[in-house]
Amino acid sequence: MPGQTEATPLGDYLEIKDSRTGKTYNIPISDDTIRTADLRQIKVKDDDFGMMGYDPAFMNTASCRSSITFIDGEKGILRYRGYPIEQLAEKASFLEVAWLLRHGELPTQAEYDQFTQDITYHTYTHENIKQFMDGFRYDAHPMSMLTAGVAALSSFYPSAKNIHDPREREIAFVRLLAKMPTIAAFAYRHAKGLPYVYPDNALSYAENFLSMIARMSEPRYEADPVYARAIDVLFILHADHEQNCSTSAVRAVGSSHVDPYSAVAAGIAALYGPLHGGANEAVLRMLQEIGDEKNIPGFIENVKSGKGDAKLMGFGHRVYKSYDPRAKIVKKLCEEVIKVSGSTTKDLDIAMELERIALSDEYFIKRKLYPNVDFYTGLIYRVMKFPTDYFTVLFAIARTAGWVAQWEEMLLDKEQKIARPRQVYTGAAERKYTSNLDYTRRVE
Ligand code: CMC
């Protein structure tokens, strides 16, 4: 009935008036959010489906409630379970952060020791994984190998399907964190035509990874401590970033109740895309294209005029509208790594000058474009001599901690169901089928 108002709920609510019917609806608000399912009561006729929200790319739709990671993009804040990223990067280890992400609290010494031992115990993979890796072409992209390798793990641990068994979830978490660097290192060695290096369980997580990457005939590989710490810090910085593309993929695929290896493989596939995990590569290409500090003003002018679709890669972020807090940490780390490597600082000098000019330029200030995490990470990986197409693999190893924590949070959330978005259908109305084909004809 026009002008009718639906029952007023208790607490805050959003009043919506439907101009088609004149009806007013009060939609409850909690956490500055309305439930789009509450819009379904808004109908013109009783047998209508009801109102939906249309939100391509989920730009303004919360798909879950989460207590893992907090981001305030305007203020440049990133916290895991309430702990500021700056403090974790300075003082914690990646394994401590991985534990924190999953359990919500920092581990006690005893818990940490046990966890580290469990991870170490599970670093080896079944020998068939090596043969599986051997089956790839010499020039296979390491992200394809990682995606397939992690998906294959599901066939080695079929009991991981018992996702409602807490012990199975626990062991899958440990196995994924422990075996990811091993499979990643196998992919690296395969591309180089080098023999695979088995894990060295006397080493730390980062040292062992670097050993599997770089060890040759020496009895024990001793990574430079600055490099090992840099890897650990970069893993901390990339460990989680709330509901980004790959994490949403893990949650969506996991919501079908598939095993966690398959769900994480979906996350790796999502991360492989250049719009997600590949920006640090693009920064390096851009720095090399600029080539010299004297070319920076011309490059900036090209970006501003939009000539040739040039963008300042490593700048801007969908969420951060101020300095990405991770970028500050990575910048400092980059300087330290370059110092011990003895490498030329040419790319770093160009990057720093580019940043200085961009941050004082009206174009970038007005659009709130600041360096993001990828602006300096590629430089660190380059100095450590990782091939460019390997950068995303490093990101994937780290993000495994967040993917599994988010997957488990989704599973234990009583409100979650199989992910199944709606659509606004724009195709043909019903029509009669009349075939253009002659099925009695044989194709010779
Ligand atoms: N250089 C120059 N102009 C830019 C840039 C940039 N890097 N980023 C955004 N703009 C401009 C854009 O052209 C637009 O200008 P106008 O209003 O005149 O049309 C304005 O700033 C707003 O940009 P937008 O495209 O609406 O912003 P978005 O939130 O859709 O895009 C972004 C975010 C990260 C895709 C974009 O900033 C970008 O392409 N940056 C370069 C690539 C990059 O560094 N990506 C890594 C992201 S961090 C890693 C991760 O989270 O996976």
Side-chain angles (χ1 to χ4, degrees):
M1 183 202 306
Q4 175 187 333
T5 302
E6 299 294 309
T8 308
L10 291 173
D12 292 332
Y13 60 90
L14 185 71
E15 189 176 283
I16 296 179
K17 181 162 183 179
D18 186 345
S19 67
R20 299 169 304 171
T21 59
K23 276 190 186 173
T24 303
Y25 301 83
N26 295 332
I27 310 290
I29 299 174
S30 89
D31 297 322
D32 294 333
T33 305
I34 60 160
R35 286 179 181 262
T36 35
D38 286 344
L39 300 176
R40 289 279 294 280
Q41 60 186 296
I42 304 177
K43 298 177 177 186
V44 174
K45 290 187 272 139
D46 282 348
D47 59 352
D48 281 352
F49 180 79
M51 180 81 67
M52 293 189 296
Y54 175 57
D55 187 11
F58 303 115
M59 301 266 288
N60 195 41
T61 295
S63 61
C64 61
R65 300 173 73 82
S66 180
S67 57
I68 299 176
T69 290
F70 172 79
I71 300 176
D72 182 330
E74 290 297 326
K75 297 196 182 114
I77 293 173
L78 170 61
R79 295 184 202 131
Y80 296 158
R81 300 282 189 184
Y83 294 102
I85 192 68
E86 296 79 4
Q87 293 176 24
L88 294 171
E90 193 188 333
K91 297 184 179 135
S93 67
F94 172 65
L95 287 186
E96 187 184 9
V97 166
W99 171 283
L100 169 71
L101 288 170
R102 177 167 186 244
H103 294 274
E105 297 298 335
L106 291 168
T108 62
Q109 186 65 54
E111 285 168 338
Y112 182 71
D113 292 346
Q114 183 62 50
F115 182 51
T116 307
Q117 193 185 323
D118 290 347
I119 295 283
T120 306
Y121 182 77
H122 286 283
T123 48
Y124 276 67
T125 59
H126 192 289
E127 281 293 282
N128 287 2
I129 287 277
K130 265 173 48 189
Q131 289 155 23
F132 179 71
M133 295 309 237
D134 276 339
F136 283 94
R137 276 175 57 110
Y138 71 96
D139 59 352
H141 195 288
M143 281 298 277
S144 306
M145 295 180 73
L146 191 68
T147 310
V150 172
L153 284 182
S154 118
S155 69
F156 289 88
Y157 306 109
S159 65
K161 284 186 181 65
N162 302 326
I163 52 169
H164 299 298
D165 177 345
R167 177 67 197 138
E168 284 294 343
R169 291 201 300 272
E170 163 112 36
I171 188 70
F173 176 61
V174 168
R175 283 192 174 125
L176 272 160
L177 276 177
K179 295 181 199 305
M180 191 69 80
T182 312
I183 298 175
F186 284 177
Y188 175 93
R189 303 283 292 203
H190 178 82
K192 297 268 176 202
L194 292 169
Y196 302 132
V197 176
Y198 285 105
D200 181 341
N201 289 342
L203 300 176
S204 73
Y205 193 81
E207 287 167 342
N208 173 49
F209 172 60
L210 290 174
S211 161
M212 291 188 291
I213 290 287
R215 184 168 153 200
M216 296 305 287
S217 57
E218 63 272 45
R220 165 153 298 157
Y221 180 79
E222 285 185 16
D224 186 300
V226 174
Y227 283 17
R229 179 64 191 153
I231 286 288
D232 212 51
V233 172
L234 289 168
F235 283 178
I236 292 172
L237 299 183
H238 283 107
D240 197 51
H241 212 230
E242 50 119 305
Q243 307 312 315
N244 56 83
C245 176
S246 57
T247 302
S248 299
V250 171
R251 277 181 174 260
V253 172
S255 76
S256 74
H257 287 187
V258 73
D259 68 89
Y261 301 101
S262 303
V264 167
I268 303 171
L271 190 69
Y272 188 3
L275 294 187
H276 191 3
N280 47 17
E281 270 185 58
V283 172
L284 268 194
R285 280 197 297 274
M286 175 187 75
L287 295 177
Q288 276 151 16
E289 189 192 316
I290 295 172
D292 196 286
E293 283 179 58
K294 71 175 178 349
N295 300 329
I296 293 176
F299 179 81
I300 296 261
E301 280 318 305
N302 269 353
V303 168
K304 285 162 48 176
S305 64
K307 260 190 215 156
D309 287 338
K311 269 196 171 178
L312 186 44
M313 298 312 289
F315 260 66
H317 197 277
R318 173 61 60 75
V319 179
Y320 294 116
K321 298 303 168 197
S322 68
Y323 214 104
D324 179 337
R326 300 166 300 173
K328 283 188 197 147
I329 301 165
V330 177
K331 182 178 176 183
K332 194 163 155 272
L333 205 58
C334 187
E335 289 166 14
E336 287 165 18
V337 168
I338 286 185
K339 205 156 106 196
V340 298
S341 72
S343 317
T344 156
T345 60
K346 193 167 176 205
D347 285 341
L348 178 67
D349 293 342
I350 297 174
M352 286 168 81
E353 181 60 6
L354 202 53
E355 180 190 327
R356 191 190 65 75
I357 295 180
L359 290 181
S360 54
D361 189 296
E362 183 56 26
Y363 175 96
F364 296 93
I365 295 170
K366 204 171 113 203
R367 290 169 178 77
K368 299 188 175 172
L369 299 172
Y370 293 85
N372 60 50
V373 69
D374 285 325
F375 193 62
Y376 289 104
T377 47
L379 274 174
I380 299 184
Y381 296 144
R382 169 56 50 84
V383 170
M384 289 187 175
K385 304 218 169 14
F386 283 109
T388 312
D389 66 3
Y390 199 73
F391 293 178
T392 319
V393 173
L394 297 158
F395 190 160
I397 297 173
R399 189 52 60 87
T400 303
W403 287 332
V404 183
Q406 299 265 359
W407 166 77
E408 197 170 18
E409 185 179 62
M410 178 274 303
L411 273 186
L412 299 178
D413 181 346
K414 298 255 179 309
E415 283 199 306
Q416 289 293 337
K417 289 174 183 283
I418 186 165
R420 200 333 185 160
R422 295 281 177 180
Q423 64 167 10
V424 177
Y425 177 68
T426 60
E430 182 181 347
R431 47 188 168 159
K432 189 169 169 13
Y433 170 75
T434 45
S435 181
N436 297 315
L437 311 179
D438 176 2
Y439 285 115
T440 60
R441 196 175 57 114
R442 280 178 67 100
V443 180
E444 300 300 333

